Amino acid sequence: PRHQIRAPIVVASVQSLQGRRLNDLGPVNLVITDECHHATASSYQNVYAAVRKARKKAGKPERFVSLGLTATPFRSDGRGGTLGLGEVYDAVVYSHGIVEAIAAGDLVPPRGIRVETHVDISACKVTAGGDYDEADLARLTDTPARNRLVVEKYQEHGQGLPALAFCVDVAHSEHVAEAFREAGIRAQAIHSKLPPGESTRLISAYLAGKIQILSSCEMILEGFDAPMAAVLLRIRATMSLVLARQMLGRGLRTHPGKTECIVID
């Protein structure tokens, strides 16, 4: 059953917990936050505040056990650096980094290939959040010549393996997918502007091997699970360590027959 906010275990998105449902929370003892590098955001803080309020109302101490899980335990400081999560959590109780995970066989190693595109982005605007302005970056990098180069480098290095292309915006993801299709390669773009259910259908087709390249600006980043993806096309420049780590993580998961992840940057 859905929307049982008083159930012994409640599984919910942060977005679905906003508003009236938060006021109906019972005296929760444990909160587990996935992708907890977002925990300092106001929407997450609203949830934690509601838990404290519900516990106080029930006559319990406001302090509760809060466990956070993330592959990127930091957030941007808005100046190209990072900040920890000490405002929300007391300590890091367990860490299993990329290097350790590769050594243990939990992840495959990346093999990086750097491609010089001769596109100058030195004058690209930078937002208050410390990353490139998407509109300005798309104007500079979403060009037919550069998109064709992406296809050529995949054909040269990608070995025909399933790939994910990280783009700047929706239009860029569509243009990249079109460039691949023009070269006879099965490719599709997924984004929020597609008809309802279409992105889910395309992702299923990709996971089934019916689509070779999946391009997107946001939907194949955080939480996207496609272990067979063996090639990453990082065609979106970023100054964000969080975003860069998220992109890399999409290709490092193990899969039968997969020995490495090819990162074409």
Short mmCIF file of all heavy atoms in Angstrom, two decimals, residues 8 16 24 30-31 35 39 43 54 59 71 84 87 116 119-120 134 165 170 190-191 194 217:
data_model
loop_
_atom_site.label_atom_id
_atom_site.label_comp_id
_atom_site.label_asym_id
_atom_site.label_seq_id
_atom_site.Cartn_x
_atom_site.Cartn_y
_atom_site.Cartn_z
N PRO A 8 5.69 0.84 9.87
CA PRO A 8 6.95 0.61 10.61
C PRO A 8 8.18 1.01 9.82
O PRO A 8 9.17 1.47 10.39
CB PRO A 8 6.92 -0.91 10.86
CG PRO A 8 5.48 -1.27 10.83
CD PRO A 8 4.85 -0.37 9.82
N SER A 16 8.39 13.59 -2.20
CA SER A 16 7.05 13.13 -1.82
C SER A 16 6.77 13.35 -0.34
O SER A 16 5.62 13.31 0.09
CB SER A 16 6.88 11.64 -2.16
OG SER A 16 7.72 10.84 -1.35
N ASP A 24 2.47 14.31 9.42
CA ASP A 24 1.85 13.06 9.87
C ASP A 24 2.87 12.02 10.31
O ASP A 24 2.51 10.90 10.67
CB ASP A 24 0.98 12.47 8.75
CG ASP A 24 -0.21 13.35 8.42
OD1 ASP A 24 -0.64 14.09 9.31
OD2 ASP A 24 -0.69 13.30 7.27
N LEU A 30 15.11 5.86 13.23
CA LEU A 30 16.25 5.76 12.32
C LEU A 30 15.88 6.37 10.97
O LEU A 30 14.84 6.03 10.40
CB LEU A 30 16.65 4.29 12.13
CG LEU A 30 17.64 3.97 10.99
CD1 LEU A 30 19.00 4.61 11.26
CD2 LEU A 30 17.77 2.46 10.81
N VAL A 31 16.73 7.24 10.47
CA VAL A 31 16.55 7.80 9.13
C VAL A 31 17.78 7.42 8.30
O VAL A 31 18.91 7.70 8.67
CB VAL A 31 16.43 9.34 9.17
CG1 VAL A 31 16.41 9.91 7.75
CG2 VAL A 31 15.17 9.75 9.91
N GLU A 35 22.17 8.94 -1.27
CA GLU A 35 22.72 10.13 -1.93
C GLU A 35 22.78 11.28 -0.93
O GLU A 35 22.32 12.40 -1.18
CB GLU A 35 21.86 10.51 -3.15
CG GLU A 35 21.64 9.39 -4.16
CD GLU A 35 22.92 8.97 -4.90
OE1 GLU A 35 23.98 9.57 -4.65
OE2 GLU A 35 22.84 8.04 -5.71
N ALA A 39 22.20 16.18 1.76
CA ALA A 39 21.55 16.30 3.07
C ALA A 39 21.51 17.71 3.62
O ALA A 39 20.70 18.02 4.50
CB ALA A 39 22.22 15.36 4.07
N SER A 43 15.26 20.94 1.48
CA SER A 43 14.23 19.90 1.40
C SER A 43 14.57 18.72 2.31
O SER A 43 13.68 18.14 2.96
CB SER A 43 14.05 19.43 -0.04
OG SER A 43 15.29 18.99 -0.59
N ALA A 54 8.31 15.25 15.49
CA ALA A 54 7.45 14.11 15.80
C ALA A 54 7.93 13.37 17.04
O ALA A 54 7.13 12.90 17.86
CB ALA A 54 7.41 13.16 14.60
N GLY A 59 7.11 12.57 23.16
CA GLY A 59 7.78 12.52 24.45
C GLY A 59 9.14 11.86 24.41
O GLY A 59 9.68 11.46 25.45
N ALA A 71 28.23 7.86 -2.73
CA ALA A 71 29.53 7.61 -3.36
C ALA A 71 30.35 8.89 -3.43
O ALA A 71 31.54 8.85 -3.77
CB ALA A 71 29.33 7.03 -4.77
N GLY A 84 32.79 19.20 3.37
CA GLY A 84 32.32 17.96 3.96
C GLY A 84 30.87 18.06 4.39
O GLY A 84 30.19 19.06 4.13
N GLU A 87 27.97 19.34 8.90
CA GLU A 87 26.79 20.04 9.43
C GLU A 87 25.65 19.07 9.71
O GLU A 87 24.74 19.39 10.48
CB GLU A 87 26.31 21.09 8.42
CG GLU A 87 27.31 22.20 8.15
CD GLU A 87 26.82 23.13 7.05
OE1 GLU A 87 25.61 23.10 6.76
OE2 GLU A 87 27.64 23.86 6.47
N GLU A 116 41.39 15.94 -27.68
CA GLU A 116 41.46 17.39 -27.84
C GLU A 116 40.50 17.82 -28.94
O GLU A 116 40.64 17.41 -30.09
CB GLU A 116 42.89 17.80 -28.20
CG GLU A 116 43.05 19.29 -28.46
CD GLU A 116 42.65 20.13 -27.27
OE1 GLU A 116 43.31 20.01 -26.22
OE2 GLU A 116 41.67 20.89 -27.39
N VAL A 119 38.00 23.15 -29.02
CA VAL A 119 36.93 24.09 -28.67
C VAL A 119 37.35 24.84 -27.41
O VAL A 119 37.64 24.23 -26.39
CB VAL A 119 35.59 23.33 -28.42
CG1 VAL A 119 34.54 24.30 -27.89
CG2 VAL A 119 35.11 22.69 -29.71
N ASP A 120 37.39 26.15 -27.49
CA ASP A 120 37.85 26.98 -26.38
C ASP A 120 36.67 27.35 -25.48
O ASP A 120 35.74 28.03 -25.92
CB ASP A 120 38.51 28.24 -26.94
CG ASP A 120 39.11 29.12 -25.85
OD1 ASP A 120 39.09 28.70 -24.67
OD2 ASP A 120 39.59 30.22 -26.17
N GLU A 134 25.21 26.31 -18.06
CA GLU A 134 24.82 25.31 -19.05
C GLU A 134 24.49 25.91 -20.41
O GLU A 134 24.90 25.37 -21.45
CB GLU A 134 23.63 24.49 -18.53
CG GLU A 134 24.01 23.53 -17.41
CD GLU A 134 22.87 22.62 -17.03
OE1 GLU A 134 21.77 22.74 -17.63
OE2 GLU A 134 23.06 21.77 -16.13
N ALA A 165 26.51 8.71 -22.98
CA ALA A 165 27.04 10.01 -23.38
C ALA A 165 26.49 11.09 -22.46
O ALA A 165 25.26 11.28 -22.39
CB ALA A 165 26.68 10.31 -24.84
N VAL A 170 19.32 19.30 -22.93
CA VAL A 170 18.44 18.41 -23.69
C VAL A 170 18.75 18.45 -25.18
O VAL A 170 18.86 17.41 -25.84
CB VAL A 170 16.96 18.80 -23.44
CG1 VAL A 170 16.04 18.05 -24.41
CG2 VAL A 170 16.56 18.47 -22.00
N ILE A 190 17.52 10.50 -23.75
CA ILE A 190 16.43 10.48 -22.77
C ILE A 190 16.49 11.78 -21.96
O ILE A 190 17.56 12.26 -21.61
CB ILE A 190 16.49 9.26 -21.83
CG1 ILE A 190 17.83 9.21 -21.07
CG2 ILE A 190 16.27 7.97 -22.61
CD1 ILE A 190 17.85 8.16 -19.98
N HIS A 191 15.31 12.34 -21.72
CA HIS A 191 15.21 13.59 -20.97
C HIS A 191 13.76 13.80 -20.55
O HIS A 191 12.86 13.05 -20.95
CB HIS A 191 15.71 14.77 -21.81
CG HIS A 191 15.16 14.79 -23.21
ND1 HIS A 191 13.88 15.17 -23.50
CD2 HIS A 191 15.74 14.44 -24.40
CE1 HIS A 191 13.68 15.08 -24.81
NE2 HIS A 191 14.79 14.64 -25.38
N LEU A 194 10.44 14.14 -23.02
CA LEU A 194 9.85 13.04 -23.78
C LEU A 194 8.44 12.75 -23.27
O LEU A 194 8.10 13.08 -22.13
CB LEU A 194 10.72 11.79 -23.64
CG LEU A 194 12.10 11.83 -24.31
CD1 LEU A 194 12.88 10.56 -23.97
CD2 LEU A 194 11.97 11.98 -25.82
N CYS A 217 21.46 14.60 -20.34
CA CYS A 217 22.17 15.62 -19.57
C CYS A 217 22.02 15.39 -18.06
O CYS A 217 22.89 15.78 -17.29
CB CYS A 217 21.67 17.03 -19.93
SG CYS A 217 19.91 17.27 -19.75
#
